[in-house]
């Protein structure tokens, strides 16, 4: 009897051990880890917890609906990105309806850019503090409400306020979306595919905005360029509510209030200063004064981050060579890309006399080639070669396409003269965005995912704002100088217009050439290697 009792006790103990280890084994199986690889299993499970945005029951890297999560995130990102351009085509109709002046027209675009660009880093840190699902949902609701206010705006003032509110909630939404993507996809192959798709969405959103803005303005009215966001937000909200895991991060960093004030004010001054350059000369205090103040505030921000106990932007996030190269690459390509959208739109509508819809359709081949090159580069080439040859090649193609565009004339045709450089540009953009976004967030600890994601969006958005304002100023000056001493006949005016566009293209090509140089120098050689913190939470490290 004693031996049987002992056997029963041992059997019961074995059953209890097996039952206790079952959840761990299932978690390892779900994340792709093997029992022989305990470190990989622990990292993947930690990443799964991070992806859910908190503790408790987690899904993360093995989220059963992670590709649907990507679709939800993609819809939200598309809404934020296209909103930077969708209003451009609707501006003439809105101006006619609400009766505001040409001088005030820029504020419809600038109000959004100012709020969005200056608050992105704060939005990213709030996502790390509160939880990504909560911030993502809040951003969607706020963006939808602001869009509804703008669509129903009875006056110019209300419309500007609504656009600023869109920027505020977009600054919450965009980094939360990218950090959700970063922590949901940790398997290298799946991550490559996910970032290829996401990079294509981010890169083509501006062109989609031009097409959608043209369709809505021509067949409905300009107000639908804002109302359409309610549809995007509703789809993304219902999907996020169902698919994303709740909870706050386990290791929540404290909010760096002085750093937040310094960087928000600094970015505001930079964007505002370049926006003022469109109306005032570079010698005006309203231009150089704000730019100088912005520079001083950003320097003060960096110095503060070096000594802050809980920095808003830990320097470890940006001092990594690959991440630093990615942030700079996104800034430079954003400046050049938005300039292309703006001036090529002017050329198609004012020189070739395209309708808003036809103008939007003209960008579709660029969108298609951008998506294709983005997915192929991220899945085929970057895992084998790394970002060093791919992103600089994209920069070079961008520069080449823009130099090609300088030859556009009044007699140019779309198929022979516009489409070829547009395809070259699209291929280049695809090679830049997905790899840069991936490496900008790869290897970031879970508690830094939000702020690293915010840096990607900040780089692209501030680059786009600075580039658009700077190129517009340079183009206007070029047209003015061309007309000096000439009779303003229709032919001369047309040539002055083309000269201004060519000037913008040359400067944009220079941006991409600079981007080529920067990314060649900074990116590491060879395929990307797993970062020590990738897939896990490195704990509260401060620098």
């Amino acid at each position: 009897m004693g031996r049987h009792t002992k056997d029963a006790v041992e059997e019961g103990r074995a059953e209890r051990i097996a039952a206790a280890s079952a959840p761990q084994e299932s978690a390892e199986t779900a994340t792709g880890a093997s029992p022989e690889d305990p470190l990989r299993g622990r990292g993947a499970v930690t990443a799964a917890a991070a992806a859910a945005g908190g503790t408790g029951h987690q899904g993360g890297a093995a989220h059963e609906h992670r590709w649907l999560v990507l679709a939800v995130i993609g819809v939200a990102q598309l809404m934020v990105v296209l909103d930077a351009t969708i209003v451009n085509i609707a501006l003439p109709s809105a101006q006619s309806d609400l009766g505001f002046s040409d001088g005030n027209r820029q504020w419809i675009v600038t109000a959004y850019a100012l709020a969005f660009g200056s608050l992105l880093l704060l939005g990213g840190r709030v996502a790390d503090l509160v939880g990504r699902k909560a911030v993502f949902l809040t951003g969607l609701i706020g963006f939808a409400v602001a869009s509804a206010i703008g669509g129903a705006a009875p006056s110019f003032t209300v419309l500007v306020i609504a656009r600023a509110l869109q920027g505020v909630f977009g600054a919450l939404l965009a980094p939360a979306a990218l950090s959700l993507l970063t922590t949901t996809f940790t398997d290298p192959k799946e991550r490559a595919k996910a970032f290829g798709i996401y990079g294509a969405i981010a890169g083509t959103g501006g062109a989609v905005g031009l097409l959608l803005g043209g369709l809505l303005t021509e067949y409905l009215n300009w107000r639908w360029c804002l109302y359409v966001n309610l549809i995007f937000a509703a789809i993304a909200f219902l999907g996020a509510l169902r698919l994303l895991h709740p909870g706050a991060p386990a290791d929540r960093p404290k909010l760096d209030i002085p750093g937040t004030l310094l960087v928000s004010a600094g970015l505001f001054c930079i964007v505002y200063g370049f926006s003022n350059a469109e109306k005032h000369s570079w010698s005006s205090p309203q231009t150089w004064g704000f730019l100088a103040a912005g520079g001083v505030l950003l320097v003060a921000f960096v110095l503060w981050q070096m000594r802050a106990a809980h920095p808003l932007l830990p320097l470890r996030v940006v001092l990594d060579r690959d991440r630093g190269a990615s942030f700079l690459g996104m800034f430079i390509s954003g400046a050049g890309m938005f300039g292309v959208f703006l001036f090529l739109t002017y050329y198609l509508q004012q020189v070739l006399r395209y309708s808003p819809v036809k103008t939007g359709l003209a960008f579709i081949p660029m969108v298609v080639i951008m998506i294709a090159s983005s997915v192929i580069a991220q899945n085929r080439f970057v895992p084998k070669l790394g970002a060093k040859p791919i992103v600089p090649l994209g920069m070079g193609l961008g520069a080449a396409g823009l130099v090609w565009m300088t030859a556009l004339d009044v007699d140019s045709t779309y198929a022979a003269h516009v489409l070829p450089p547009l395809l070259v540009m699209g291929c280049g953009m695809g090679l830049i965005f997905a790899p840069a976004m991936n490496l900008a967030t790869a290897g970031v600890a879970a508690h830094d995912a939000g702020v690293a994601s915010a840096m990607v969006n900040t780089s692209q958005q501030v680059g786009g704002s600075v580039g658009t304002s700077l190129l517009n100023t340079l183009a206007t000056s070029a047209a003015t100088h061309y007309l000096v001493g000439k009779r303003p006949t229709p032919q001369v005016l047309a040539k002055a217009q083309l000269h201004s566009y060519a000037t913008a293209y040359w400067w944009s090509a220079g941006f991409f050439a600079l981007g080529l140089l920067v990314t060649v120098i900074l990116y590491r050689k060879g395929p990307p290697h797993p970062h020590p913190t990738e897939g896990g939470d490195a704990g509260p490290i401060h620098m």
Side-chain angles (χ1 to χ4, degrees), residues 74 126 157 160 230 272 279 298 339 352 374-375 388 417 448 452 461 506 511 527 538:
V126 169
T157 302
V160 170
L230 275 69
Y272 187 77
K279 293 197 308 179
L298 291 180
L352 299 188
S374 177
V375 173
K388 194 177 188 74
H417 304 99
D448 288 335
Q461 181 64 30
W506 277 115
F511 292 159

Side-chain angles (χ1 to χ4, degrees), residues 177-269:
L178 186 53
S179 59
L180 281 167
L181 184 70
T182 299
T183 51
T184 297
F185 290 90
T186 56
D187 177 78
K189 290 184 178 179
E190 289 192 345
R191 180 183 172 93
K193 292 178 182 177
F195 270 86
I197 295 168
Y198 186 86
I201 291 170
T204 59
V208 173
L210 293 172
L211 172 59
L212 191 57
L215 288 168
L216 293 172
T217 303
E218 191 160 323
Y219 293 113
L220 293 171
N221 62 55
W222 69 269
R223 295 182 183 275
W224 276 96
C225 291
L226 293 158
Y227 286 144
V228 72
N229 290 326
L230 275 69
I231 300 172
F232 286 115
I235 294 170
F237 182 86
L238 292 174
L241 201 63
R242 170 67 181 84
L243 297 170
L244 298 181
H245 294 304
D251 176 28
R252 291 192 284 181
K254 294 181 181 179
L255 183 61
D256 175 16
I257 294 177
T260 299
L261 295 175
L262 285 170
V263 74
S264 297
L267 290 173
F268 179 93
C269 288

